[in-house]
């Protein structure tokens, strides 16, 4: 049956299982007007020398990894501004609260990822069982001979141990 798939789809309907989409500097680039963006934009020259160096190191780290850079550019076009915005903060408690929120969001994402992987693996095992059963049925219908299913059945049991 499709219970595994239904569980997977239901997971997307439960917002507590997925990370929130709140971003400090309009990561998606579509919620703020250009006037609001220019008021909240943090130019690197607004940072202290030490924070400028930190921003440059973070930005260089992102750019030096093509995969990471591509993902970040797609998901958060304003990522450089976000780095600078975070480094421009002066309220220690506000930064700690934001960091706690990021940690909570990462934990939710990890839980959602684990649940999705578990559901996919479970569904894969069930599909392997159905495939083997249907293949054997087809073989019996077309040949009338009994086929050795030990190899097909071992694929099902080995698929059960995958993670």
């Amino acid at each position: 049956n499709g219970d595994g798939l239904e569980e997977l789809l239901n997971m997307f309907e439960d917002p507590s299982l997925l990370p929130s989409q709140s971003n400090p500097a309009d990561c998606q680039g579509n919620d703020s007007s250009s006037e609001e963006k220019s008021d909240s934009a943090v130019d690197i020259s607004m940072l202290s020398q030490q924070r400028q160096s930190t921003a440059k190191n973070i930005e260089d780290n992102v750019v030096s990894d093509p995969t990471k850079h591509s993902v970040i550019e797609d998901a958060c076009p304003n990522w450089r501004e976000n780095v600078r915005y975070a480094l421009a903060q002066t309220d220690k408690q506000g930064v700690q609260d934001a960091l706690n929120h990021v940690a909570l969001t990462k934990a939710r994402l990890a839980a959602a990822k684990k649940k999705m992987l578990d559901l996919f693996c479970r569904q894969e095992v069930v599909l392997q069982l159905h495939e083997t059963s249907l293949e054997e049925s087809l073989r019996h219908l077309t040949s009338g001979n009994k086929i050795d299913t030990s190899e097909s059945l071992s694929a099902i049991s080995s698929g059960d141990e995958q993670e």
Side-chain angles (χ1 to χ4, degrees):
N1 68 45
D3 288 342
L5 188 56
E6 286 176 32
E7 285 180 50
L8 181 63
L9 294 174
N10 289 338
M11 190 173 78
F12 289 101
E13 294 173 7
D14 184 353
S16 70
L17 296 174
L18 298 172
S20 71
Q21 294 296 315
S22 62
N23 298 303
D26 186 33
C27 215
Q28 299 302 321
N30 58 6
D31 293 335
S32 298
S33 71
S34 58
E35 202 172 291
E36 289 172 325
K37 284 183 185 179
S38 64
D39 290 344
S40 67
V42 177
D43 187 80
I44 195 146
S45 65
M46 298 167 71
L47 303 174
S48 69
Q49 287 285 57
Q50 187 178 17
R51 290 178 184 232
Q52 285 182 26
S53 177
T54 300
K56 182 162 176 25
N57 287 340
I58 293 170
E59 292 172 12
D60 288 348
N61 179 281
V62 169
V63 173
S64 70
D65 181 338
T67 302
K68 183 191 297 185
H69 187 220
S70 176
V71 168
I72 290 174
E73 282 287 343
D74 288 344
C76 188
N78 298 330
W79 67 273
R80 282 186 172 90
E81 181 182 332
N82 288 349
V83 168
R84 295 169 189 170
Y85 179 83
L87 290 169
Q89 298 309 299
T90 57
D91 175 17
K92 185 177 180 179
Q93 187 58 51
V95 171
Q96 186 61 56
D97 291 346
L99 187 57
N100 291 343
H101 178 74
V102 168
L104 177 63
T105 302
K106 284 178 70 176
R108 286 182 179 156
L109 180 63
K113 181 179 177 180
K114 182 182 181 335
K115 187 169 185 172
M116 287 174 59
L117 184 59
D118 290 348
L119 291 171
F120 278 125
C121 288
R122 202 168 103 195
Q123 193 68 21
E124 186 176 36
V125 169
V126 170
L127 289 171
Q128 181 65 46
L129 171 67
H130 293 319
E131 181 181 40
T132 299
S133 300
L134 292 168
E135 285 174 346
E136 292 306 314
S137 178
L138 185 61
R139 284 186 187 131
H140 284 287
L141 291 170
T142 57
S143 70
N145 296 329
K146 186 172 181 176
I147 306 295
D148 179 18
T149 59
S150 59
E151 188 175 308
S152 298
L153 295 176
S154 70
I156 293 171
S157 62
S158 69
D160 191 29
E161 297 168 7
Q162 290 179 354
E163 269 230 37

